[in-house]
């Protein structure tokens, strides 16, 4: 039977009545910590209850400001763009300690966690666009490595199983001016500590067009592919390249492009399902069913076999309408994996 690990990408819907604006203020002002901590802890527990084996800490912050707000704080850096090691903290992981301790008390096991950090290229593009200052790119990479190092060293009640660098611009953004070798160096710097630990180091890409950059980065061993919504992405990857570099795939087997999914319902019922919400559950009861998810996994496995190590939804579900529907998608993924694995037994 194929040994697959079910993880998720990170973002998650907010509970009813809580806005993004409220969350942004809660993170910046820290004047509503009890409610903030409860929201993050609850979201993480919902992921575990839905069957996610390696859950990403719930991502409710802007993926750029979460790190840049610290990196650009004069009190938190030792030189421009180089964060102090003691300041390189991911608040959500500190918050999860209490939830993880309760999980350990109830199950006897520490939960496995996936730590997602915004990659150095993404942070660079946010501030510098289509320029080419490799020294700044490398310094940002060192800062990311310090966030990862601090996270791994500080974890007490959970196991950090996977570290993921989020680099959606690679292969998509025409502003990227760096050579492949420069990107490999930056990615190597940002994952230097993680690559020496007993964890998987993943890169999350929105397009695998330049996946070989990840294969050429020795510390990265897992490449994420959003192949549920874009099955043709699998055609861009050469299994032999994966084997030659001892690289593995994280394959997306459930679609998360909620606006495209909703548009199908809009056309079917001639309505706006964001206002006429009665039809939204069909996304997880008729469109993204366990059977459809299992077929996607079966197709990917027929191509790459044991080069697939992680599976889960394509991307985050932060834009999904409710936590309940998002959790149902995660549960469908778990069931889809079980359907596929049971077939493998016979």
């Amino acid at each position: 039977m194929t040994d697959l690990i079910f993880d998720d990408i990170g973002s998650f819907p907010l509970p009813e009545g809580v806005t993004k604006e409220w969350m942004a203020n809660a993170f910046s002002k820290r004047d509503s910590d009890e409610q903030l901590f409860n929201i993050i802890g609850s979201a993480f527990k919902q992921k575990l209850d839905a069957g996610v084996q390696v859950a990403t800490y719930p991502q409710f912050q802007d993926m750029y400001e979460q790190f840049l707000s610290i990196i650009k704080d004069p009190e938190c850096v030792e030189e421009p763009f180089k964060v102090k090691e003691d300041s390189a903290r991911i608040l959500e992981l500190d918050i999860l300690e209490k939830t993880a301790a309760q999980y350990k008390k109830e199950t006897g096991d520490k939960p496995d966690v996936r730590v997602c950090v915004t990659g150095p290229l993404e942070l660079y593009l946010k501030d510098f666009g289509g320029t080419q200052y490799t020294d700044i790119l490398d310094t940002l990479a060192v800062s990311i490595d310090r966030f990862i190092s601090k996270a791994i060293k500080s974890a007490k009640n959970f196991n950090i199983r996977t570290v993921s660098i989020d680099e959606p611009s690679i292969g998509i953004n025409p502003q990227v001016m760096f050579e492949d070798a420069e990107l490999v160096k930056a990615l190597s710097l940002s994952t230097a500590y993680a690559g020496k630990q007993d964890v998987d180091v993943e890169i999350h890409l929105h397009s695998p067009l330049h996946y070989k950059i990840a294969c050429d980065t020795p510390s990265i061993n897992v490449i994420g592919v959003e192949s549920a919504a874009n099955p043709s992405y699998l055609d861009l990857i050469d299994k032999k390249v994966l084997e030659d570099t001892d690289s593995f795939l994280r394959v997306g087997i459930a679609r998360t492009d909620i606006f495209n999914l909703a548009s199908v319902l809009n056309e079917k019922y001639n309505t706006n399902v964001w206002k006429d919400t009665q039809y939204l559950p069909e996304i997880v009861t008729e469109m993204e069913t366990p059977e459809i998810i299992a077929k996607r996994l079966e197709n990917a496995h027929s191509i790459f076999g044991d080069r697939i190590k992680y599976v889960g939804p394509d991307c985050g579900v932060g834009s999904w309408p409710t936590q309940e529907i998002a959790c149902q998608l995660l549960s469908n993924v778990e069931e889809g994996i079980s359907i596929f694995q049971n077939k493998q037994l016979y």
Side-chain angles (χ1 to χ4, degrees):
M1 182 173 67
T2 302
D3 185 20
L4 299 168
I5 301 168
F6 172 22
D7 69 353
D8 79 301
I9 295 300
S11 66
F12 200 71
L14 288 168
E16 187 176 355
V18 178
T19 65
K20 291 182 179 179
E21 291 74 20
W22 185 91
M23 290 294 287
N25 284 329
F27 274 112
S28 63
K29 296 180 179 179
R30 299 296 303 278
D31 56 359
S32 304
D33 275 0
E34 183 176 359
Q35 185 177 356
L36 176 65
F37 291 11
N38 286 339
I39 289 170
I40 292 171
S42 171
F44 184 70
K45 188 174 186 302
Q46 288 180 65
K47 292 184 181 187
L48 297 180
D49 290 344
V52 182
Q53 293 171 290
V54 183
T56 305
Y57 67 84
Q59 292 177 283
F60 292 122
Q61 294 195 70
D62 177 88
M63 66 178 285
Y64 303 102
E65 286 306 305
Q66 179 180 4
F67 299 98
L68 285 176
S69 63
I70 299 173
I71 292 172
K72 295 168 74 173
D73 184 341
E75 298 297 319
C76 296
V77 296
E78 59 188 48
E79 62 181 72
F81 304 109
K82 182 179 288 186
V83 68
K84 295 177 182 176
E85 293 186 13
D86 287 344
S87 298
R89 302 196 70 90
I90 297 174
L91 175 61
E92 289 85 345
L93 293 176
D94 294 339
I95 294 171
L96 286 189
E97 286 290 353
K98 182 178 179 180
T99 305
Q102 183 63 31
Y103 179 90
K104 181 181 177 183
K105 182 178 179 180
E106 294 173 356
T107 67
D109 297 317
K110 291 182 179 181
D112 288 333
V113 173
R114 178 180 178 273
V115 174
C116 182
V117 296
T118 307
L121 177 62
E122 286 304 308
L123 296 181
Y124 181 94
L125 291 172
K126 180 68 175 176
D127 263 15
F128 296 95
T131 59
Q132 192 176 4
Y133 302 118
T134 54
D135 55 336
I136 296 177
L137 177 68
D138 290 348
T139 302
L140 287 169
V142 171
S143 286
I144 290 302
D145 183 57
R146 290 184 174 184
F147 278 102
I148 294 169
S149 171
K150 189 71 171 178
I152 294 174
K153 292 175 181 177
S154 300
K156 297 181 178 65
N157 292 307
F158 52 83
N159 303 312
I160 293 180
R161 177 72 174 269
T162 312
V163 169
S164 180
I165 302 293
D166 197 356
E167 289 284 12
S169 289
I170 293 179
I172 291 179
N173 192 334
Q175 281 193 307
V176 178
M177 303 300 290
F178 297 103
E179 300 293 331
D180 286 1
E182 293 171 324
L183 294 177
V184 168
K185 181 184 177 184
L187 290 172
S188 296
L189 287 171
S190 63
T191 56
Y193 183 83
K196 299 174 183 177
Q197 310 307 308
D198 186 23
V199 301
D200 284 320
V201 183
E202 176 188 325
I203 187 167
H204 176 62
L205 304 172
H206 284 196
S207 165
L209 186 61
H210 297 305
Y211 77 97
K212 291 181 181 179
I213 291 173
C215 291
D216 290 338
T217 306
S219 48
I220 294 176
N221 68 319
V222 180
I223 301 162
V225 185
E226 294 189 0
S227 51
N230 302 285
S232 61
Y233 279 178
L234 297 177
D235 298 334
L236 299 174
I237 299 172
D238 186 338
K239 182 181 179 182
K240 188 175 187 306
V241 172
L242 300 178
E243 292 172 336
D244 290 346
T245 58
D246 198 22
S247 301
F248 296 86
L249 295 180
R250 184 219 180 255
V251 175
I253 56 174
R255 289 177 61 180
T256 54
D257 53 332
I258 187 66
F259 298 107
N260 290 330
L261 293 169
S263 69
V264 174
L265 295 177
N266 286 340
E267 185 173 348
K268 179 180 178 180
Y269 293 106
N270 192 29
T271 188
N272 180 352
V273 295
W274 296 106
K275 294 181 178 179
D276 189 9
T277 59
Q278 63 177 310
Y279 302 112
L280 281 171
E282 284 193 23
I283 291 172
V284 289
T285 61
E286 295 187 22
M287 299 171 74
E288 289 301 299
T289 65
E291 292 75 18
I292 289 173
I293 291 168
K295 287 180 181 178
R296 291 194 189 112
L297 177 52
E298 186 173 2
N299 175 63
H301 187 265
S302 70
I303 303 170
F304 296 103
D306 61 5
R307 285 291 117 184
I308 300 175
K309 188 168 187 178
Y310 289 83
V311 293
D314 268 351
C315 201
V317 290
S319 298
W320 281 53
T322 66
Q323 293 188 335
E324 290 74 20
I325 292 179
C327 284
Q328 187 58 56
L329 179 75
L330 295 177
S331 296
N332 287 359
V333 172
E334 181 190 38
E335 188 175 344
I337 296 169
S338 295
I339 292 171
F340 167 75
Q341 290 179 324
N342 287 335
K343 284 184 178 180
Q344 295 292 299
L345 291 173
Y346 300 99

